[in-house]
Amino acid sequence: MKKVFLFFMFLCMIACAESEPTPIEKVTAYYEGFQKSDYKQIKQMIADSLTLTEGDFTMPFTPQSYYEQFKWDSVFKPVYKIVEVSNNDKHVVATVAVNSLRFEFLKNDPLICSHKFYFESGKISKIENLDCGDANWAVWQKERDSLVSWVKSNHPELDGFINDLSMNGAINYLKAIALYQGRPLRSKN
């Protein structure tokens, strides 16, 4: 009987040992959600209030508004790959390479950035963009501005796509890219 009791206690200890995922596992699961186009997985990792920051720019989200961001992003068919991840007591830093149709057009594909993840009550509450070391922002801006200007002049029905962070805005962004890339080029005489 004593052996049965000890065996039962051993099984209980093993069952209890299945602890909460580590912060690194949560960040990994967060990106896996993007990779698998599984917002439910992402939602399980984020807090009821999520803040994204880049420099002085701050974007607050609820899980529902972040879902809209997720849908916008998904239109560009991104492929996420964690390059490096590290942890200290208060946050996780992940360097992530993202390939997408948008980044390809902007001639920054892949876009490799480092992000700092903060947690509250075991959930991701803030993601701070630290650095996109290899990004060529001058080329990015030139390509973006050329596209926006051309669309405004040639396809005004799509004008404003650049600021429309809805799924429809992303669809219009891809339409604008396709029209721009298919335009007749002027010959230089």
Side-chain angles (χ1 to χ4, degrees):
M1 183 70 170
K2 187 176 179 181
K3 288 182 182 180
V4 171
F5 177 75
L6 288 174
F7 180 72
F8 179 74
M9 291 300 294
F10 176 74
L11 288 177
C12 287
M13 288 184 349
I14 289 174
C16 292
E18 290 184 27
S19 62
E20 169 125 355
T22 67
I24 286 178
E25 291 169 333
K26 290 176 185 180
V27 169
T28 301
Y30 169 82
Y31 282 114
E32 285 174 356
F34 279 101
Q35 192 61 32
K36 297 186 303 188
S37 296
D38 183 356
Y39 185 71
K40 289 179 184 176
Q41 181 171 334
I42 294 167
K43 187 176 177 183
Q44 291 174 345
M45 299 300 122
I46 62 174
D48 288 339
S49 175
L50 175 67
T51 304
L52 303 183
T53 64
E54 185 162 352
D56 293 336
F57 188 67
T58 300
M59 293 178 22
F61 292 97
T62 63
Q64 183 56 36
S65 63
Y66 198 59
Y67 180 55
E68 297 305 313
Q69 176 70 28
F70 170 82
K71 290 190 300 187
W72 178 87
D73 183 64
S74 68
V75 169
F76 300 104
K77 299 181 184 329
V79 176
Y80 290 83
K81 180 181 176 198
I82 295 176
V83 176
E84 184 179 347
V85 65
S86 63
N87 185 20
N88 76 17
D89 292 336
K90 297 183 183 191
H91 57 266
V92 171
V93 175
T95 301
V96 180
V98 184
N99 296 82
S100 78
L101 297 172
R102 183 170 69 105
F103 297 155
E104 183 180 326
F105 173 77
L106 296 169
K107 295 184 174 48
N108 277 267
D109 192 48
L111 184 63
I112 302 170
C113 298
S114 295
H115 307 277
K116 187 184 289 186
F117 288 78
Y118 297 85
F119 296 83
E120 284 183 19
S121 303
K123 301 255 183 170
I124 299 168
S125 60
K126 180 180 176 185
I127 305 170
E128 178 183 353
N129 188 11
L130 299 176
D131 183 37
C132 299
D134 290 344
N136 188 331
W137 299 119
V139 169
W140 177 294
Q141 185 173 352
K142 177 184 165 283
E143 295 300 318
R144 183 201 62 210
D145 292 351
S146 294
L147 175 64
V148 169
S149 177
W150 184 85
V151 165
K152 190 173 191 168
S153 296
N154 296 280
H155 290 279
E157 72 278 9
L158 296 176
D159 191 28
F161 72 90
I162 199 78
N163 297 314
D164 184 351
L165 298 180
S166 69
M167 189 171 186
N168 192 55
I171 291 167
N172 285 341
Y173 199 138
L174 282 182
K175 285 179 186 175
I177 290 171
L179 290 166
Y180 182 77
Q181 290 175 330
R183 75 193 186 284
L185 298 177
R186 293 183 208 161
S187 60
K188 295 181 182 181
N189 292 333

